[in-house]
Amino acid sequence: MAGPAIILYALLVIGAVVVVWLITRRRRTAELPYLSGGEARRAPVITAARRRALIAVLFAVVVFLVGAIAAVSIPNLLGMPLAVAPLIAGAAGLLLYAATPPRSVEVPDDQPRTAGLARRSWLTVIPGGWLHASVEILVIFVAVIVFCGLTADVDEQGRSRAIRFDAVDQSSTASPYPGWFYGVPALIALAVLVVATIVALQRIGATAAFPHPDDVDADTQWRRASASVVLSLSTGAVLFPLGGISMTAGFAMNNAIIERATPVVWDVIADVLVIMGILSLVLSVVAVTLAALTAFTIGDSVARVEKARR
């Protein structure tokens, strides 16, 4: 089941990205002959920003596929790559993004370069609402990991990857269950992703501003759009393992529950985990697709405003 599900997930992401690319490419090609002076001045920088963001998304998808293939082809890993591959893939894409040098607007020697005095940091470039949403998803992820770790039992080889229910005259055990065996590596990978996200956002905040006074809005727009790409990719990287861990935990609980002996609350928890897992997997596709869509359209909002003014 894991192999076809992973392939389907990857095909959904790749298909969505291709569709978005075709739509935005056709629209942007039709608009290129009508670039104004401001748009022409910013075009090389905006193009470089789009390329950098898109490469980060694609690189993350490739790293994820490598980890998924390892999980499917090497059974001895017991599915461990699926718990960490999305998080490491997201971190790899964001670190590549941060390491790629940004392009700056060239200013002729006889023209002054201007810049705002407002201080920028990784926090100031985050679009409204993203910070709270990202923190909430992280809290849910950690809560699910800790809950599964605390409720896990050891398997026949002493690894925390099973769940066990006991009754008066019987017991029931199911595995795999995402206990600490999967949870601890996932938390470590999550910490790496958080650091990579902050590094990428800081790179956006520290990039030199557009030197022309008329480009203040454009400068703000490309930073927020680029930050949206970073946060969408990071969110998708968290939602996929959250979905997989939640679904695995819910199915294992249902398999281990002893009918008419295990408290009904465990049935409720199992169903909630399965539903949350499915929702998280769907949202992970949406998040990665949103990252690609935003990467393709960095700078478009400013161009539309300028055309409306003309």
Side-chain angles (χ1 to χ4, degrees), residues 45-46 49 52 97 102-103 115-116 118-122 124-127 200-211 215-231 294 298-299 301-302:
V45 179
I46 296 299
R52 182 165 62 142
Y97 177 91
R103 187 168 181 175
R119 292 178 60 86
R120 291 188 302 268
S121 68
W122 68 274
T124 60
V125 299
I126 297 178
L201 291 174
Q202 181 61 32
R203 185 58 183 267
I204 296 172
T207 301
F210 289 144
D215 293 338
V216 174
D217 290 340
D219 185 76
T220 301
Q221 289 289 345
W222 88 259
R223 291 180 195 276
R224 289 181 178 175
S226 298
S228 295
V229 175
V230 169
L231 292 169
T294 308
I298 290 175
S301 59
V302 177

Side-chain angles (χ1 to χ4, degrees), residues 281-302:
L281 290 175
V282 173
L283 290 177
S284 69
V285 177
V286 174
V288 176
T289 304
L290 178 61
L293 172 62
T294 308
F296 280 120
T297 57
I298 290 175
D300 281 4
S301 59
V302 177

Side-chain angles (χ1 to χ4, degrees), residues 53-294:
L54 180 59
I55 289 175
V57 175
L58 294 178
F59 184 68
V61 173
V62 170
V63 174
F64 165 74
L65 288 177
V66 171
I69 292 172
V72 174
S73 59
I74 309 177
N76 291 337
L77 295 178
L78 302 175
M80 176 65 73
L82 292 180
V84 298
L87 300 166
I88 297 300
L94 295 179
L95 290 176
L96 177 63
Y97 177 91
T100 305
R103 187 168 181 175
S104 60
V105 176
E106 296 182 0
V107 180
D109 296 337
D110 59 343
Q111 293 185 10
R113 177 182 288 270
T114 63
L117 298 178
R119 292 178 60 86
R120 291 188 302 268
S121 68
W122 68 274
L123 285 172
T124 60
V125 299
I126 297 178
W130 262 113
L131 182 60
H132 291 122
S134 300
V135 171
E136 289 171 1
I137 292 173
L138 290 178
V139 170
I140 293 173
F141 184 89
V142 174
V144 170
I145 291 293
V146 172
F147 172 79
C148 292
L150 294 177
T151 55
D153 198 0
V154 295
D155 61 9
E156 62 278 2
Q157 296 184 357
R159 295 169 298 206
S160 177
R161 57 184 302 270
I163 185 169
R164 176 189 178 99
F165 291 113
D166 294 309
V168 176
D169 55 350
Q170 60 180 319
S171 64
S172 177
T173 302
S175 182
Y177 181 78
W180 296 122
F181 178 78
Y182 301 101
V184 171
L187 290 176
I188 295 173
L190 178 65
V192 174
L193 176 63
V194 170
V195 172
T197 302
I198 295 175
V199 170
L201 291 174
Q202 181 61 32
R203 185 58 183 267
I204 296 172
T207 301
F210 289 144
H212 199 282
D214 295 337
D215 293 338
V216 174
D217 290 340
D219 185 76
T220 301
Q221 289 289 345
W222 88 259
R223 291 180 195 276
R224 289 181 178 175
S226 298
S228 295
V229 175
V230 169
L231 292 169
S232 296
L233 180 58
S234 179
T235 299
V238 174
L239 286 173
F240 184 86
L242 173 61
I245 288 171
S246 298
M247 287 185 63
T248 302
F251 288 141
M253 280 184 188
N254 279 323
N255 291 333
I257 286 174
I258 302 173
E259 190 175 357
R260 294 188 297 273
T262 304
V264 69
V265 65
W266 288 104
D267 284 297
V268 176
I269 294 174
D271 292 339
V272 169
L273 286 172
V274 171
I275 294 172
M276 184 171 68
I278 296 173
L279 181 61
S280 297
L281 290 175
V282 173
L283 290 177
S284 69
V285 177
V286 174
V288 176
T289 304
L290 178 61
L293 172 62
T294 308

Side-chain angles (χ1 to χ4, degrees), residues 19-64:
V19 170
V20 168
W21 178 77
L22 290 174
I23 294 174
T24 55
R25 181 177 181 271
R26 179 177 300 178
R27 184 184 64 189
R28 189 172 296 114
T29 301
E31 294 176 350
L32 283 177
Y34 307 102
L35 288 177
S36 66
E39 291 173 303
R41 180 177 62 248
R42 297 187 301 265
V45 179
I46 296 299
T47 301
R50 287 172 177 164
R51 185 185 305 113
R52 182 165 62 142
L54 180 59
I55 289 175
V57 175
L58 294 178
F59 184 68
V61 173
V62 170
V63 174
F64 165 74

